[in-house]
Amino acid sequence: MSESEQQDFDYVENEEEDYYMEDDDGDNEEEDESEYEFDAADFNQQLADKFDDLDLPPGVEATVPWLQKLAAAEEEDDMSSLKTEDEIDKKYKSFRQFYTVEKFSDHHYASTSVGKTSREWAKRIQHEWKLLEKDLPASIYVRVAEDRMDLLRAVIIGPKGTPYHDGLFFFDAQFTSSYPSAPPTVHYHSGGLRLNPNLYNCGKVCLSLLGTWSGSGCEKWNPNQSTMLQVLVSIQALILNEKPYFNEPGYAGSANTPTGQQNSIEYNKNTFLHSCRTMLYSLRRPPEHFAELVAGHFREHGRTILSACKHYMEGNLVGSVVPEEEESECNDTGASSSSSTPKQDPIKPDIIGRRNQFYTNLATLFEDLLMEFNVKGADTRKFVEEKRKKNQPAA
């Protein structure tokens, strides 16, 4: 199983500004001496320039005005950051699960005309909206458009206990003019990544309910019973599952074999890498009408995601409970299940190379995520401190 080509995210580092001080050549020293006045601001600036890169003894900061000014500026920046974080948090908490927007400009089917529709079609769509508004699970958010009743956008939060946990996965749907006789068409925002056998990098979604895969009985679309809500819940439960490797036709039969289990473990690793890349993709280019959710979600879950990255780099199975999460659950419920203890990833000689590649790729993604989560105000202090200690020169 080959690794998909990793996307590069380049950061441009700001060049350090050079400071220069003009030296007095002393030509008119005697002439100017009587008129010289001490310029405290200029003196403090010279101190700042001179000691900018030095570590000063404890207590000196309190006696040097330029350091006091610097501290005040940093405090002002912190207050500004807190205001930004509060704004993000406010918008995130008020983000409704179902909401009607004016229009979509970046929807996958925005340029695809629905054609002539009937009054019955409009009534059915309104019925679908009511079902979604009433019964959406807490992990699914939906937006529909006033000017285009045929368009819908949804985001599904990856379920815990899977390689998709805490990720955001976006889908665009269109109710065609033949709806509900025919199922809606659905497009996955892949970012060019295939992180599931049923989700193609071109955006195709393979699901029996959508008629894009074979099925029988209740698995197939039923105009009288099937709904858009059912489609979204099925994607979450049947596609974004614990062991997506076995979604691939022909692989299900190997689920109880050592080879099948090992292949599933490796597939989950690659899936988590793609999930992390999808997080970066969503953070940098959030789909229209979901920017507030993206920012707030990763601000709230950033710490857990980074902890998971560290946990998996230590050799634990992708999707297993992260100790930090387990501790949080203990504090909330007062008890913890022993079944949540993470299992170590068995490293066989023939997969050591692939595991090393996984570690290298995940370490790079960890740094990218740390930077992005910092911008959104996530609690990354633990990881920033670890990074600072690691970069300190040996005594």
Side-chain angles (χ1 to χ4, degrees):
M1 189 182 306
S2 60
E3 285 274 337
S4 297
E5 184 173 342
Q6 181 177 355
Q7 296 181 349
D8 293 328
F9 300 100
D10 297 329
Y11 295 95
V12 179
E13 298 182 355
N14 295 326
E15 296 182 356
E16 296 183 0
E17 184 176 0
D18 293 327
Y19 293 90
Y20 298 91
M21 291 190 298
E22 294 182 3
D23 293 328
D24 189 355
D25 58 11
D27 290 343
N28 300 315
E29 185 175 350
E30 294 182 0
E31 178 181 341
D32 297 339
E33 185 174 4
S34 61
E35 300 179 0
Y36 174 77
E37 293 183 4
F38 175 72
D39 188 338
D42 181 65
F43 177 73
N44 287 330
Q45 181 59 50
Q46 291 184 34
L47 280 177
D49 297 338
K50 185 175 182 181
F51 296 107
D52 188 47
D53 296 325
L54 297 180
D55 293 327
L56 298 179
V60 171
E61 292 88 344
T63 63
V64 181
W66 69 266
L67 283 174
Q68 295 174 8
K69 185 176 181 180
L70 179 61
E74 290 179 347
E75 184 176 352
E76 185 177 346
D77 289 342
D78 289 341
M79 291 300 295
S80 177
S81 178
L82 285 174
K83 289 180 181 179
T84 301
E85 291 176 14
D86 289 341
E87 189 67 22
I88 290 175
D89 190 54
K90 181 180 179 181
K91 291 181 179 180
Y92 174 60
K93 289 181 178 179
S94 63
F95 195 87
R96 299 181 185 180
Q97 278 193 267
F98 179 90
Y99 195 68
T100 303
V101 299
E102 183 178 350
K103 62 180 180 179
F104 288 108
S105 61
D106 65 340
H107 197 284
H108 181 73
Y109 299 105
S111 60
T112 304
S113 175
V114 67
K116 186 177 181 179
T117 59
S118 63
R119 180 178 298 178
E120 288 73 21
W121 177 89
K123 287 183 178 180
R124 175 59 186 258
I125 302 304
Q126 291 175 342
H127 174 68
E128 294 281 355
W129 288 4
K130 290 179 181 179
L131 288 178
L132 291 167
E133 186 174 16
K134 178 184 176 183
D135 297 327
L136 271 176
S139 53
I140 301 178
Y141 293 79
V142 169
R143 293 293 179 268
V144 294
E146 290 180 353
D147 69 334
R148 290 284 301 272
M149 289 184 66
D150 59 308
L151 302 183
L152 176 148
R153 171 168 290 167
V155 61
I156 300 176
I157 300 175
K160 291 188 180 299
T162 74
Y164 307 101
H165 67 88
D166 295 321
L168 295 178
F169 305 94
F170 287 88
F171 298 85
D172 284 353
Q174 182 179 41
F175 300 103
T176 64
S177 58
S178 58
Y179 188 85
S181 296
T185 56
V186 179
H187 174 84
Y188 167 58
H189 285 247
S190 69
L193 304 170
R194 188 176 183 184
L195 43 61
N196 189 286
N198 298 79
L199 301 176
Y200 286 64
N201 54 5
C202 64
K204 180 181 178 181
V205 179
C206 277
L207 188 67
S208 299
L209 196 59
L210 296 175
T212 51
W213 186 248
S214 60
S216 60
C218 61
E219 296 176 350
K220 301 176 68 175
W221 181 264
N222 183 325
N224 298 319
Q225 297 178 350
S226 302
T227 64
M228 188 66 213
L229 175 62
Q230 184 182 356
V231 170
L232 296 175
V233 172
S234 296
I235 291 175
Q236 184 180 53
L238 302 178
I239 295 180
L240 303 176
N241 58 36
E242 182 181 1
K243 298 180 179 180
Y245 172 78
F246 299 114
N247 286 12
E248 187 71 45
Y251 290 174
S254 64
N256 295 320
T257 67
T259 299
Q261 288 297 324
Q262 188 60 60
N263 288 340
S264 177
I265 290 172
E266 294 304 309
Y267 191 91
N268 275 9
K269 290 179 182 179
N270 193 55
T271 295
F272 184 71
L273 292 176
H274 282 338
S275 182
C276 289
R277 293 172 182 132
T278 302
M279 294 178 194
L280 292 169
Y281 179 83
S282 299
L283 280 162
R284 293 165 181 172
R285 298 181 60 185
E288 190 176 18
H289 304 304
F290 284 88
E292 292 87 357
L293 177 69
V294 171
H297 173 83
F298 287 117
R299 180 192 173 193
E300 180 171 303
H301 297 280
R303 180 185 177 92
T304 301
I305 294 169
L306 294 174
S307 294
C309 291
K310 290 282 190 180
H311 188 61
Y312 301 153
M313 284 191 288
E314 292 170 357
N316 295 287
L317 291 177
V318 170
S320 63
V321 175
V322 181
E324 186 172 283
E325 291 180 323
E326 188 174 343
E327 182 180 348
S328 175
E329 291 174 2
C330 286
N331 293 335
D332 292 340
T333 64
S336 175
S337 172
S338 59
S339 62
S340 63
T341 302
K343 299 178 181 179
Q344 292 295 319
D345 179 4
I347 305 174
K348 296 181 179 180
D350 60 333
I351 64 165
I352 288 179
R354 278 184 288 173
R355 183 188 182 279
N356 289 340
Q357 187 62 42
F358 167 76
Y359 178 91
T360 300
N361 291 339
L362 186 53
T364 300
L365 288 167
F366 174 87
E367 296 295 331
D368 291 340
L369 289 170
L370 177 59
M371 181 179 295
E372 294 291 341
F373 292 163
N374 264 326
V375 172
K376 299 305 180 186
D379 181 8
T380 61
R381 290 170 295 179
K382 169 186 173 182
F383 307 101
V384 172
E385 184 61 27
E386 289 177 354
K387 186 177 178 66
R388 183 181 292 112
K389 290 181 179 179
K390 182 179 179 180
N391 292 336
Q392 283 181 348

